[in-house]
Amino acid sequence: MRALASLLLLVFSLVSPATAQEDGPAEAPEKLEIGISTDEIAISSDFRGADLTIFGAIEGYDPALLAQRKYDIVVALEGPKDNNTVRIKERVFGIWVNRRSMTFELVPESYSLSSTRDVETIADPAVLNGVGVGIQHIRLTPVGFVGDGSNLTEFRDAFRRLKESGGFYQRDPGGVQFISASLFKATVKLPANVPNGTHIVRAHLFRDGVFISEKALPLRVMKTGIEQMISTAAYDHSLAYGAFSVFLAALTGWLASVVFRKD
């Protein structure tokens, strides 16, 4: 009897892990592959914005689901991240002054979005919030104490409104198009005032409202010519840059006084 019990225990120890593995969630067969038209964009003094083209393919797709248009793709170009402070003005004794402010931690300085259709119709808000896809679903985490949080929505809405009105945040529903069974092309826009630094191109694949996979590639945006020289001097040699600026301002003022002097 003891030998039989030991044998059964051995059998269960071998079978149970396999059964648990079979019962666990299976990995989705679909994968994304993307490529960009360039990995570096040079900004000169006459830069007026540009379009970036992204090509990609869905691997391991289900032909029946593809025919039913159950697959959706969202492509986003995220700029460098930094803390961003939003200030709200209030009228005090007839003068508009900054009274309240909130700083959000590490948010993209620019954000350009393209999708097969309106992002809000692709998946539930909870799914989009979890992935962080869409202007309304970018993670905006305040820095420091925010009290009871009652004004958090007000500051988040103000942040999005300022970014969109300034052209830093853009969206293009329908900007992603399938050019064959599984191949797609997307176009995202770089604003004229695109920030300098490393941007990230992110492509997200959804199947019938469920997030499946993501692919990301870096894109370097850099200033060239005199703009690059000034930017490098301002950040890397700030003391010398400040002294030279003061000297140049004083020299300009003296020259103006000489030229327009009345004898």
Side-chain angles (χ1 to χ4, degrees):
M1 180 66 70
R2 182 176 299 174
L4 179 59
S6 300
L7 180 61
L8 290 175
L9 181 62
L10 177 62
V11 170
F12 277 117
S13 65
L14 294 175
V15 173
S16 297
T19 304
Q21 185 174 1
E22 291 176 0
D23 293 341
E27 185 179 356
E30 297 94 342
K31 301 294 181 185
L32 268 182
E33 291 295 335
I34 62 171
I36 52 181
S37 53
T38 179
D39 58 0
E40 184 175 285
I41 293 179
I43 299 178
S44 59
S45 58
D46 59 348
F47 183 76
R48 295 294 180 267
D51 291 339
L52 180 69
T53 302
I54 299 98
F55 293 95
I58 306 175
E59 297 182 352
Y61 64 92
D62 186 326
L65 294 177
L66 189 65
Q68 298 172 25
R69 298 184 178 181
K70 296 294 185 178
Y71 290 110
D72 283 292
I73 296 170
V74 180
V75 177
L77 177 63
E78 298 179 3
K81 293 185 177 182
D82 197 2
N83 291 356
N84 197 293
T85 301
V86 178
R87 295 178 175 86
I88 293 181
K89 294 180 179 294
E90 294 180 355
R91 194 161 185 165
V92 179
F93 300 112
I95 302 175
W96 289 96
V97 295
N98 293 322
R99 290 294 302 273
R100 295 180 295 149
S101 66
M102 182 176 293
T103 299
F104 294 108
E105 182 181 17
L106 297 178
V107 293
E109 296 183 27
S110 61
Y111 187 83
S112 184
L113 188 77
S114 287
S115 52
T116 49
R117 53 192 171 114
D118 188 356
V119 172
E120 304 302 326
T121 65
I122 289 178
D124 293 334
V127 176
L128 298 175
N129 287 334
V131 184
V133 174
I135 294 177
Q136 297 297 324
H137 307 281
I138 294 177
R139 296 183 180 91
L140 297 177
T141 304
V143 177
F145 179 70
V146 294
D148 59 2
S150 59
N151 58 352
L152 185 57
T153 300
E154 178 186 8
F155 278 95
R156 283 174 171 169
D157 291 342
F159 170 82
R160 298 186 184 100
R161 183 173 62 254
L162 290 172
K163 284 292 188 180
E164 288 194 84
S165 62
F168 291 98
Y169 282 18
Q170 305 180 42
R171 66 184 94 192
D172 182 15
V176 178
Q177 298 178 345
F178 282 96
I179 55 180
S180 70
S182 63
L183 299 177
F184 63 88
K185 180 184 74 170
T187 301
V188 293
K189 298 183 180 299
L190 283 82
N193 48 2
V194 59
N196 202 34
T198 301
H199 298 234
I200 302 296
V201 177
R202 299 187 188 276
H204 305 83
L205 175 64
F206 293 83
R207 187 214 306 134
D208 201 16
V210 178
F211 172 66
I212 299 299
S213 65
E214 173 186 326
K215 193 75 173 182
L217 290 175
L219 172 70
R220 187 183 178 195
V221 177
M222 56 181 295
K223 295 178 181 178
T224 59
I226 187 64
E227 292 83 3
Q228 178 62 25
M229 294 174 58
I230 294 175
S231 178
T232 301
Y235 283 96
D236 297 344
H237 309 284
S238 56
L239 183 60
Y241 176 80
F244 178 76
S245 299
V246 173
F247 169 76
L248 186 61
L251 179 62
T252 303
W254 177 78
L255 288 175
S257 66
V258 171
V259 172
F260 297 102
R261 179 184 301 169
K262 293 183 179 180
D263 296 331

